[in-house]
Amino acid sequence: ARGNLGVNLHHRRGQHPVTQLETFEPDGRAIPYVDHQSDGPVLVLLSERGADAGGLGTLTSILVDVGFRVVRIGFRAAADEVAVDDLAQDVLDVIEHVGIGDTWMGGHASGGTVARTLALAHPDRVNGVLLLGVEDVQIPVAHNMPVLVVQGSEDETTPPANGLKLQDSAPGLVSVTTFDGAGHFFPATHAGQTAEIIEEYLDWD
């Protein structure tokens, strides 16, 4: 599918039913998620804090159309008051609930921070990390874990310098693509380009 995303969308569109937002409540924690089921490779996407699992909807739709199974996971209520390790446990609980063994995992901004935390704590469950904008946090790249960073050059919330800093910390593992002129919400404004980068990086035909 390299360089041919539009053709794939044309041929595969409409094969996937509309999927509803669900809530998983382990130990009373209400975690919203949407599971777009498919026989293709699995990608877990985590919304930014303040957005529910309906965030990243356009990007998800494109990825589902080209064959990915995408599980979007939001944050429980009052997530700003919850430690990132506990939010990572929420994600692990959801992927176990829907029957995923190991997966690529990514997120937008703070969602990516949770993905990085989970990858470091449970590298056997994460094949690689996708970061849509990088928060400046002290979380090392997990051992031998590939990381794809996609970011906007005009993002003031997760500035591109953060992605380059992460790449410098693990140059053999972290790849960075920057959209010139794009802001913080590039996963929506540049959804097609973002999906194509993900598709090509994961080498999905």
Side-chain angles (χ1 to χ4, degrees):
R2 293 177 183 275
N4 203 23
L5 186 62
V7 173
N8 280 341
L9 294 183
H10 175 76
H11 285 299
R12 301 192 190 190
R13 189 178 300 280
Q15 292 185 2
H16 304 280
V18 175
T19 305
Q20 300 298 318
L21 179 70
E22 300 186 56
T23 303
F24 182 50
E25 300 187 34
D27 303 320
R29 294 169 284 141
I31 310 163
Y33 75 95
V34 183
D35 185 0
H36 302 265
Q37 296 194 21
S38 166
D39 293 331
V42 181
L43 175 61
V44 173
L45 287 179
L46 312 179
S47 306
E48 185 176 26
R49 290 196 198 213
D52 61 22
L56 304 176
T58 302
L59 175 61
T60 295
S61 294
I62 297 170
L63 291 169
V64 170
D65 276 341
V66 297
F68 284 89
R69 175 185 179 183
V70 180
V71 181
R72 289 180 290 158
I73 302 177
F75 289 100
R76 61 167 114 160
D80 288 344
E81 302 171 8
V82 180
V84 68
D85 289 343
D86 292 331
L87 295 175
Q89 183 63 49
D90 287 352
V91 174
L92 183 61
D93 289 343
V94 171
I95 65 175
E96 290 183 344
H97 173 66
V98 300
I100 294 173
D102 55 270
T103 178
W104 264 81
M105 181 166 298
H108 184 206
S110 54
T113 299
V114 176
R116 291 169 64 183
T117 300
L118 181 55
L120 193 62
H122 299 279
D124 58 316
R125 305 301 295 271
V126 182
N127 299 323
V129 176
L130 165 66
L131 301 177
L132 304 174
V134 179
E135 289 192 318
D136 188 12
V137 292
Q138 299 302 311
I139 302 173
V141 174
H143 181 64
N144 286 336
M145 181 79 65
V147 178
L148 173 62
V149 174
V150 185
Q151 56 188 8
S153 67
E154 305 304 314
D155 186 347
E156 297 181 357
T157 304
T158 50
N162 294 351
L164 298 176
K165 178 181 176 181
L166 184 65
Q167 185 179 44
D168 287 343
S169 74
L173 294 173
V174 181
S175 300
V176 177
T177 296
T178 304
F179 291 133
D180 188 36
H184 184 62
F185 295 103
F186 73 87
T189 62
H190 295 65
Q193 297 98 313
T194 302
E196 188 162 14
I197 290 167
I198 295 169
E199 182 190 20
E200 290 187 351
Y201 187 85
L202 271 62
D203 197 24
W204 168 240
D205 292 315

